[in-house]
Amino acid sequence: MATIVDSFAPPPPTHPTAGSTRFTTPFPPRHFTRCLINRSSDSTRCRSISCQAQATKAFAVPRRNAVALILSSYFFSGVSLPDAAFAEPSVGLREYIDTFDGYSFKYPQNWIQVRGAGADIFFRDPYILDENISVEMSSPSSSKYKSVEDLGPPQEAGQKVLKQYLTEFMSTRLGVRRESNILSTSSNVADDGRTYYQVEVNIKSYASNNELAVMPQERVVRLEWDRRYLSVLGVENNRLYELRLQTPENVFLEEENDLRQVMDSFRVDKVLG
């Protein structure tokens, strides 16, 4: 049985009152005018109100207008754009819990589940198709793992993870070349008392745009993709569990904080019965 838990609940929607429309200025000063338009009687009443600046629940600024306001404020204030930092806001994380197989993890809540992908569970970014997360497990009948340390030290486990990736990405196309590098390996004891290994590798794929060309100068090699692969390994129920996170290298640099939270959230648990 799998359960999905939202980490952040969305706020309840607000709706305008039927039959009337209320207009307020985006950033109200101490004195402003409020108008009430009654559609049934085709009349308009306005009055001047004096109050402290406050936020209104009915106010919503479209994203495009908000960006325009921010940019115009920089232009008119004399602050150059390179001095300002623009960060992509976090979309929040959602927790996936599989009590049947005994594991859980968090993933970006705007990612979608893909069925039939070959893994026990698979989610991907709906816009960046090369970015996904999955969980794989060893067979309970053919594996008798007692601890993740059965794989050897983290460096040795990293070599096994990289070899598995390269085997899966093996291509029969002519002129394809792969470059791989283990970026880091580590071991840590999580809050559940279990030891987990983390492995990060980078793999680049190069291919010729005309692999059947006769002349070497016609076979121009180009970079196909450049990806970061992150694995978290844990052992429970005599099985080896692996959380796999794949993302383009340039996307990883932008989303590193969120993706590391995903890695750190992976837990394995004892299956009862």
Side-chain angles (χ1 to χ4, degrees), residues 125-144:
D125 189 303
Y127 305 105
I128 305 174
L129 303 185
D130 282 348
E131 191 172 32
N132 56 66
I133 188 172
S134 62
V135 173
E136 297 185 3
M137 303 165 294
S138 62
S139 171
S141 60
S142 60
S143 62
K144 298 297 179 182

Side-chain angles (χ1 to χ4, degrees), residues 25-68:
T25 56
F27 302 97
R30 294 180 181 273
H31 300 275
F32 65 93
T33 301
R34 173 175 294 173
C35 296
L36 181 65
I37 303 174
N38 194 319
R39 294 194 178 95
S40 60
S41 60
D42 194 22
S43 62
T44 302
R45 290 184 300 161
C46 299
R47 58 172 178 167
S48 178
I49 300 176
S50 177
C51 64
Q52 297 293 329
Q54 59 182 1
T56 173
K57 294 181 180 179
F59 169 63
V61 179
R63 180 178 299 178
R64 183 176 299 176
N65 293 350
V67 172

Side-chain angles (χ1 to χ4, degrees), residues 58-241:
F59 169 63
V61 179
R63 180 178 299 178
R64 183 176 299 176
N65 293 350
V67 172
L69 287 171
I70 293 172
L71 292 177
S72 62
S73 66
Y74 281 112
F75 289 141
F76 289 106
S77 63
V79 178
S80 60
L81 286 177
D83 296 333
F86 294 92
E88 184 72 18
S90 173
V91 297
L93 299 178
R94 177 177 295 173
E95 187 172 22
Y96 180 85
I97 304 173
D98 190 331
T99 56
F100 180 79
D101 289 309
Y103 66 86
S104 65
F105 63 94
K106 294 180 181 180
Y107 66 96
Q109 63 180 356
N110 65 332
W111 288 19
I112 59 176
Q113 182 176 353
V114 178
R115 302 184 185 277
D120 190 67
I121 187 67
F122 188 98
F123 293 95
R124 69 169 175 83
D125 189 303
Y127 305 105
I128 305 174
L129 303 185
D130 282 348
E131 191 172 32
N132 56 66
I133 188 172
S134 62
V135 173
E136 297 185 3
M137 303 165 294
S138 62
S139 171
S141 60
S142 60
S143 62
K144 298 297 179 182
Y145 290 95
K146 299 300 180 183
S147 168
V148 70
E149 295 173 347
D150 291 347
L151 298 172
Q155 296 79 4
E156 185 177 339
Q159 292 290 345
K160 295 177 181 178
V161 169
L162 177 58
K163 181 179 179 180
Q164 180 64 30
Y165 277 128
L166 293 176
T167 300
E168 294 175 5
F169 298 146
M170 188 176 296
S171 176
T172 58
R173 291 182 298 149
L174 297 175
V176 174
R177 175 172 56 87
R178 300 280 160 76
E179 290 184 1
S180 60
N181 183 32
I182 297 178
L183 301 177
S184 68
T185 59
S186 62
S187 172
N188 69 289
V189 178
D191 53 9
D192 61 357
R194 296 180 178 87
T195 300
Y196 295 86
Y197 284 175
Q198 292 192 4
V199 178
E200 295 185 37
V201 302
N202 171 265
I203 301 178
K204 296 180 176 66
S205 178
Y206 296 88
S208 172
N209 59 352
N210 188 10
E211 63 272 11
L212 299 180
V214 177
M215 303 301 293
Q217 60 269 24
E218 296 177 353
R219 296 192 295 269
V220 179
V221 177
R222 59 180 177 84
L223 178 66
E224 283 189 307
W225 45 261
D226 181 6
R227 298 173 184 160
R228 177 80 60 108
Y229 295 90
L230 308 98
S231 292
V232 185
L233 306 169
V235 168
E236 187 54 81
N237 307 305
N238 297 327
R239 306 175 73 178
L240 174 65
Y241 296 76

